[in-house]
Amino acid sequence: RRVVEAIETVVIPGLATRRDPLLGCPTVSVGTIHGGTQVTVVPDACEIEVDRRLINGESREAVAAEIVQAVGEVEHEVTEFYPPLGEDPQGPLATRVAGACRAALGEAKFVTAPWASDAGVFRAAGIPSVLIGPGSAAQAHRRDEYIDLGELERGIRVYEAIIRAAG
């Protein structure tokens, strides 16, 4: 079966038709492909790992079924699952955090990010959650990951303001 081709020609175009006002469109990518034992032997099996990012309103079961429908019946396993985080920017927690950012930095800005975190798991369990932290995503999760000291100091001021606002 041409599984990767089906993901690229069927699944990805279908995702572009869905949009969450906070999170944008869902995404999918083939992150790893493993197969074969040497270049001169036709492989008897191939394994791929697929990363599918959900938007609000999608379930892991429906997403898995959608991919299987597109690629055909294949052996598959869902190994990790992080629900999307779609906290209301006008909700009590987001408002408190934004106020702390304004108090500490003079500004507050909500943005969405295409990564997964435990915050989505907490939110799905009914625990209001936001992600906030110092530094740049461009410098994160890399071999030479770092944070500028000035960014760290700004983060400390924000965390202090959040704690003070909580009373």
Side-chain angles (χ1 to χ4, degrees):
R1 289 187 196 134
R2 299 195 174 271
V3 173
V4 175
E5 180 181 7
I7 290 171
E8 291 177 343
T9 62
V10 178
V11 177
I12 291 175
L15 298 180
T17 64
R18 302 178 209 161
R19 176 167 285 285
D20 180 272
L22 292 174
L23 304 174
C25 295
T27 62
V28 66
S29 66
V30 177
T32 64
I33 302 174
H34 305 278
T37 56
Q38 62 186 28
V39 71
T40 59
V41 177
V42 176
D44 65 344
C46 178
E47 179 180 292
I48 66 171
E49 292 179 295
V50 176
D51 179 38
R52 171 63 162 79
R53 302 295 169 103
L54 283 68
I55 59 173
N56 291 310
E58 293 184 313
S59 72
R60 90 193 237 173
E61 296 80 15
V63 165
E66 177 181 44
I67 292 172
V68 169
Q69 181 181 9
V71 302
E73 190 59 43
V74 293
E75 184 178 327
H76 68 281
E77 174 186 6
V78 177
T79 57
E80 293 183 33
F81 175 69
Y82 296 92
L85 174 62
E87 193 68 49
D88 178 4
Q90 304 303 316
L93 177 61
T95 300
R96 179 179 295 152
V97 171
C101 286
R102 280 191 288 280
L105 307 175
E107 66 177 342
K109 179 173 66 172
F110 286 98
V111 297
T112 59
W115 55 72
S117 81
D118 290 332
V121 176
F122 298 143
R123 183 68 184 106
I127 302 168
S129 301
V130 296
L131 287 175
I132 183 169
S136 167
Q139 299 156 345
H141 306 295
R142 289 165 175 44
R143 181 174 299 169
D144 60 349
E145 179 175 8
Y146 69 95
I147 182 171
D148 290 322
L149 288 179
E151 286 292 318
L152 183 59
E153 290 168 357
R154 287 169 45 101
I156 291 168
R157 289 197 315 265
V158 170
Y159 294 141
E160 181 182 19
I162 292 169
I163 292 167
R164 290 186 188 284

